Amino acid sequence: MKLLLVCIDGMRLDMALPEVLPRNSGFAQPDHAADPRFVRGVGQGEPVPEHPVAAVDHTLTVDQAPHGLAPTLARLVRGDEHSQGTIIPMWMTPPTDSAPGWTTILTGATHEQCNVWWNEFVGHDLARHPDILSQVFFANPAARTIAAATWDAFVSPYGPGPIIHQRVDQQRTGQHQLFSPDLSQGIDRADEQVSSWAAWHLLHEGPDAAVVYFEGVDHAGHSFGADSEPYRQAIQHVDELTRHLVKAVAERYEQLGEQWLVAVTTDHGHKPEGGHGEDEVEVRRSFLASHHIGGTLPEPLLRTDPIRSHELTPLLLEAIGVHPGHMDASDVGVRRDMEPIGPSREMDFEW
């Protein structure tokens, strides 16, 4: 089975797909406590008040229009008579910023293991924690992989990170292809370039595993807040770009019979006024939406209990039948005189 993982930065599920929240109590509250350094109040350890889940009609039928802003995501989750879909609650571990969030999601390693705590990736240990595409390749050196992302921390060798390993030898042969868009025309246009590039390669080349990242929703959240019309429009825009990707792999199934698992997730939500980083429920709440085009979902994805972000990659790898080898070389090249402790989250720390 082939994999398409769509990464939508900064999307609130209660706005994109509110009808799923009351159907699974795992979406109501985080399944684990936050480190006191990263709770609301910035290190003061203040308790987090409960955030009630918005009341939603429980009597939806498959034929009804989705209530939220993401019809593509809604269709993936619902499935149909030919394909099965689901959504699993996922809770992010603060700090709920993009670098630590996407690193844990895409590598299967915790903040402490990767030593990624902030968007500058200071002192990261990504070399020893390969991304999901690299793990597919290491398990099967014949596998072809692609990644396209608006944020340079995903794929650019000149930005922070990158989270996706370069694997230059495979790039030279076209076995591993990476794409970063032109940002000069704005984030929305850059996301469109990412979608167009990825959709073409998915449709015409059918890689074995693909990661596609969109930044527009997060950009709108920072600029206008989650309680704004631009934020809602950004969710609708990225959902439509996601539809182009799903259509491409659906054509591969229809015409070639390829089996595709489509997965969608996010790294954090946004506060009503915009921003993230601490432990608010609407910021920590995430999800793993999965859809097997043309068939039933693999057994690992039929669970309903919440997962944590570092469990996503192992779960998807198991679902598509990838079992990376385990080599114990933990004593080679590891410094033991410095323990990663992460940032203090003192917001005025600067010089």
Side-chain angles (χ1 to χ4, degrees):
M1 183 182 296
K2 300 192 174 192
L3 173 67
L4 166 61
L5 175 57
V6 182
C7 304
I8 303 177
D9 202 309
M11 186 172 74
R12 281 181 54 163
L13 184 63
D14 60 336
M15 299 179 69
L17 209 61
E19 61 266 33
V20 306
L21 269 63
R23 297 176 181 174
N24 188 327
S25 60
F27 282 116
Q29 291 289 329
D31 70 332
H32 62 291
D35 185 312
R37 292 176 296 171
F38 307 113
V39 301
R40 198 156 32 169
V42 190
Q44 300 304 310
E46 298 174 0
V48 181
E50 292 189 0
H51 290 240
V53 177
V56 181
D57 183 6
H58 289 240
T59 61
L60 286 175
T61 66
V62 172
D63 296 328
Q64 287 181 295
H67 292 165
L69 302 169
T72 299
L73 182 58
R75 183 178 176 185
L76 289 173
V77 170
R78 285 199 311 265
D80 53 36
E81 63 271 20
H82 304 294
S83 306
Q84 186 179 10
T86 189
I87 188 165
I88 301 171
M90 184 170 80
W91 290 98
M92 305 303 295
T93 300
T96 49
D97 288 297
S98 292
W102 288 120
T103 298
T104 59
I105 288 172
L106 292 173
T107 66
T110 64
H111 300 332
E112 290 81 5
Q113 290 170 325
C114 288
N115 200 32
V116 176
W117 300 89
W118 200 246
N119 285 356
E120 289 80 9
F121 290 82
V122 174
H124 72 75
D125 200 16
L126 291 172
R128 277 188 285 264
H129 298 283
D131 61 275
I132 188 171
L133 299 182
S134 297
Q135 292 184 50
V136 169
F137 170 75
F138 296 149
N140 178 8
R144 293 173 298 130
T145 55
I146 68 169
T150 313
W151 188 26
D152 59 357
F154 263 62
V155 298
S156 172
Y158 309 110
I163 301 171
I164 304 292
H165 285 195
Q166 294 290 291
R167 292 178 21 231
V168 176
D169 287 346
Q170 286 76 53
Q171 285 195 62
R172 289 171 177 163
T173 62
Q175 194 175 348
H176 180 50
Q177 299 182 69
L178 304 175
F179 176 75
S180 296
D182 177 9
L183 299 176
S184 63
Q185 299 180 53
I187 294 297
D188 289 345
R189 177 58 184 142
D191 277 347
E192 292 168 1
Q193 292 178 45
V194 164
S195 180
S196 296
W197 183 93
W200 190 96
H201 285 271
L202 288 167
L203 178 63
H204 295 286
E205 298 179 354
D208 298 288
V211 170
V212 183
Y213 164 94
F214 297 120
E215 191 177 347
V217 176
D218 186 57
H219 180 74
H222 282 293
S223 300
F224 305 101
D227 189 18
S228 70
E229 184 59 27
Y231 184 78
R232 291 186 282 271
Q233 292 175 352
I235 292 176
Q236 294 172 318
H237 182 233
V238 169
D239 184 75
E240 176 64 12
L241 298 181
T242 300
R243 186 183 69 83
H244 297 168
L245 306 179
V246 178
K247 179 176 175 57
V249 298
E251 288 291 329
R252 299 285 299 191
Y253 165 75
E254 177 69 20
Q255 299 187 37
L256 301 174
E258 288 181 350
Q259 298 294 304
W260 281 87
L261 176 65
V262 179
V264 183
T265 190
T266 189
D267 60 331
H268 57 73
H270 264 277
K271 303 175 190 178
E273 68 276 16
H276 51 86
E278 283 78 51
D279 67 337
E280 296 87 352
V281 169
E282 64 269 23
V283 171
R284 289 186 65 183
R285 183 190 289 122
S286 183
F287 62 91
L288 170 59
S290 305
H291 185 97
H292 181 190
I293 295 180
T296 58
L297 286 167
E299 180 67 27
L301 296 175
L302 297 180
R303 62 186 289 173
T304 57
D305 54 309
I307 63 173
R308 302 183 187 182
S309 57
H310 65 273
E311 297 176 310
L312 183 144
T313 278
L315 194 64
L316 291 180
L317 290 176
E318 182 183 0
I320 64 174
V322 173
H323 305 286
H326 298 283
M327 299 178 63
D328 185 8
S330 57
D331 289 334
V332 178
V334 179
R335 291 191 62 173
R336 300 189 180 279
D337 58 341
M338 295 176 61
E339 291 292 332
I341 60 173
S344 66
R345 280 314 299 265
E346 295 295 334
M347 304 304 287
D348 58 352
F349 178 78
E350 190 61 74
W351 64 279

